[in-house]
Amino acid sequence: SSGINAEWPLRPGGMGLRIYHPVIQPESTPRCRPDLCQKLCLPIPNGYQCACPTGHSLLPDNFNCAYKMENFAFVATKEMIVKTALEPLEPVLQPIMFKENKYMEGTFWSVDFHENWVYYNTISENISQISIRRMLFDGSDSKVVVNEKSDGGLSIDWLNEKIYWSSFETVSVGELDGSVHTTLLQKEGFDFRDILVDPCNGYIYLAALGRGIYRCSMDGDISSFVEIVRLGEDSMPSGLTLDRDIGALFFANMNSIYKLKLKLKLRDSPPVPEPIINRPERVNINSLDVWGRDWIIWTENYNISATDYKKEKSTDCDSALIPLL
C-alpha cells in the first residue's frame, strides 16, 4: 500500500498548506484590545505586553511610545560623509564612503531620519553627472532621485514626505523617490544658496547670496514671499536651521552665527537677528544645526565645533572641537 487515501493533482506545485477548522482556530477571549497600548499589543502567557515600532522606545508607563534617536551628526567632506558621536562629545569618526560619486566638494545635502536616507547633490563639470541622489546611512543603495542641477540647498519635509531644493533663481519640490517633481518658485536675480522647510507651520526659509533671509509658504505662492532679514551685498548666508522649542531660526554669515526669534506675522515689526557666535575673521562657518535644547553644532574650516548657545553670549566662546579627516 502507498499509504495515500486521497490525492488531488496540483500544478505547478504546492508551496505551503494550512487548514481552516475550529479545532485549529477555536474561539477564545483576546488578550489585546485597541485601548491597551498606544502602538503594538503583544499577547504573553499571563496577559499582554505593549511594544513600539522600530526606532521608538516604550516609556515607563508601559503604554506610550517615544521616538528614540541616537545622538550623532553627519558631516560632509570632499569625497565622503562621516558620522560622529555627539554624546559624549568625542572625536570618533565613522567614514561613510561614496563608492559611485567623487564630486562632493560644495555639495548640499539633507537627511531623512525616519527612513534612514541621506540626500545629496553632485557637483561636476560633467553635466551628465549632476543630479540629486540618495543613499542609506551605511553608504549603500546609492541611486539617482532627480536628474536635475541643484547648486543650492536640499531640505526634507518629513511630515508630507517631500524633498525641496534650491538652484540659483528657483525652488523645486518632488516626491522623496523623485517620481514627480516641479518648479515651485522662480525669483529673478536671487541666488538661493540654502533652503529649510518647516512643515509644522507651513513655511520655506531661503538664504539668498548678497541679499538676506526670506520666507514663503510651502506651496510657493509668490504673494507670501517676504524678506525677514536684510544683509549686505557681500553677505554669504548659509546653514539655516530651526530650534522649534523656542521658535528661533539660526543661520551663518561668513564667520558669525545669528539667532532670529520667529514671528508668524511680520507686519508689526521685522525680527532682529541676534549674533550669538563670532569667530575670528579667518574662520568660515559652512553649516550648522541645533542639538537638544542647549547646544549648537557647526563646521568651521577643518573642525566640528559646539557650544551652549543659550548661555554663551561672548565672542570668546568655549567650544569643543573635533578635527575632521
Side-chain angles (χ1 to χ4, degrees), residues 56-74:
H56 295 69
S57 60
L58 188 65
L59 294 179
D61 61 9
N62 289 317
F63 175 85
N64 290 295
C65 296
Y67 188 65
K68 183 180 181 181
M69 188 184 300
E70 297 178 66
N71 286 313
F72 60 82
F74 288 110

Side-chain angles (χ1 to χ4, degrees), residues 265-278:
K265 295 182 179 180
L266 302 175
R267 294 181 180 179
D268 299 333
S269 61
V272 178
E274 172 192 357
I276 59 170
I277 302 292
N278 290 301

Side-chain angles (χ1 to χ4, degrees), residues 35-48:
D35 59 334
L36 291 178
C37 300
Q38 184 192 31
K39 295 294 183 182
L40 297 173
C41 181
L42 305 177
I44 57 177
N46 295 321
Y48 70 93

Side-chain angles (χ1 to χ4, degrees), residues 12 14-15 27 38 57 84 109 115 133 177 212 215 226 242 300 303 316:
M15 298 299 292
E27 293 186 1
Q38 184 192 31
S57 60
T84 180
W109 56 293
E115 299 296 334
R133 307 176 67 94
D177 61 1
R215 189 183 80 181
V226 293
L242 278 175
E300 57 174 56
N303 295 314
D316 185 21

Side-chain angles (χ1 to χ4, degrees), residues 70-75 81-96 297 304 322-324:
E70 297 178 66
N71 286 313
F72 60 82
F74 288 110
V75 185
I81 284 181
V82 296
K83 176 182 173 183
T84 180
L86 290 178
E87 191 176 6
L89 206 64
E90 55 186 18
V92 179
L93 299 178
Q94 305 172 26
I96 302 173
I297 315 289
I304 306 172
I322 298 177
L324 292 178

Side-chain angles (χ1 to χ4, degrees), residues 25-309:
Q25 293 180 324
E27 293 186 1
S28 183
T29 301
R31 296 180 180 177
C32 283
R33 303 191 311 269
D35 59 334
L36 291 178
C37 300
Q38 184 192 31
K39 295 294 183 182
L40 297 173
C41 181
L42 305 177
I44 57 177
N46 295 321
Y48 70 93
Q49 174 65 49
C50 292
C52 299
T54 302
H56 295 69
S57 60
L58 188 65
L59 294 179
D61 61 9
N62 289 317
F63 175 85
N64 290 295
C65 296
Y67 188 65
K68 183 180 181 181
M69 188 184 300
E70 297 178 66
N71 286 313
F72 60 82
F74 288 110
V75 185
T77 64
K78 185 175 181 179
E79 292 186 4
M80 70 178 71
I81 284 181
V82 296
K83 176 182 173 183
T84 180
L86 290 178
E87 191 176 6
L89 206 64
E90 55 186 18
V92 179
L93 299 178
Q94 305 172 26
I96 302 173
M97 299 298 296
F98 283 74
K99 299 178 178 64
E100 301 177 20
N101 173 43
K102 295 183 179 179
Y103 301 94
M104 285 292 295
E105 191 168 11
T107 292
F108 294 89
W109 56 293
S110 190
V111 180
D112 180 0
F113 286 102
H114 290 272
E115 299 296 334
N116 293 348
W117 287 105
V118 177
Y119 289 79
Y120 62 99
N121 62 358
T122 57
I123 306 297
S124 173
E125 294 180 357
N126 188 340
I127 299 299
S128 64
Q129 293 177 323
I130 295 178
S131 61
I132 298 174
R133 307 176 67 94
R134 73 178 183 180
M135 66 176 182
L136 294 174
F137 279 9
D138 61 1
S140 64
D141 202 16
S142 175
K143 60 184 67 176
V144 174
V145 176
V146 180
N147 269 316
E148 186 172 304
K149 180 181 179 182
S150 171
D151 52 9
L154 301 175
S155 188
I156 300 297
D157 173 2
W158 67 93
L159 290 182
N160 303 294
E161 298 184 343
K162 300 288 187 293
I163 179 173
Y164 288 75
W165 66 93
S166 58
S167 181
F168 191 50
E169 297 178 338
T170 63
V171 174
S172 302
V173 62
E175 300 292 338
L176 287 178
D177 61 1
S179 58
V180 180
H181 59 89
T182 185
T183 298
L184 195 66
L185 173 71
Q186 189 160 4
K187 196 73 174 173
E188 186 176 353
F190 282 71
D191 188 356
F192 296 124
R193 304 307 299 166
D194 202 3
I195 183 173
L196 175 70
V197 294
D198 177 14
C200 299
N201 294 300
Y203 288 114
I204 301 173
Y205 294 92
L206 296 156
L209 188 68
R211 288 181 177 269
I213 311 297
Y214 297 81
R215 189 183 80 181
C216 70
S217 59
M218 291 182 66
D219 63 356
D221 182 5
I222 194 64
S223 65
S224 68
F225 186 85
V226 293
E227 179 185 85
I228 59 174
V229 177
R230 179 172 296 181
L231 302 171
E233 294 181 358
D234 297 329
S235 63
M236 301 174 62
S238 63
L240 296 174
T241 190
L242 278 175
D243 184 334
R244 292 177 175 84
D245 285 339
I246 63 174
L249 176 73
F250 294 83
F251 65 92
N253 185 24
M254 293 181 285
N255 65 323
S256 299
I257 297 177
Y258 296 86
K259 181 176 74 172
L260 184 71
K261 190 69 175 178
L262 292 174
K263 297 181 179 180
L264 296 182
K265 295 182 179 180
L266 302 175
R267 294 181 180 179
D268 299 333
S269 61
V272 178
E274 172 192 357
I276 59 170
I277 302 292
N278 290 301
R279 303 296 286 153
E281 290 185 3
R282 67 181 184 278
V283 171
N284 185 33
I285 297 175
N286 302 308
S287 60
L288 58 99
D289 208 346
V290 292
W291 174 38
R293 297 186 176 182
D294 297 305
W295 288 80
I296 190 163
I297 315 289
W298 71 91
T299 58
E300 57 174 56
N301 298 354
Y302 296 99
N303 295 314
I304 306 172
S305 302
T307 193
D308 185 338
Y309 66 85

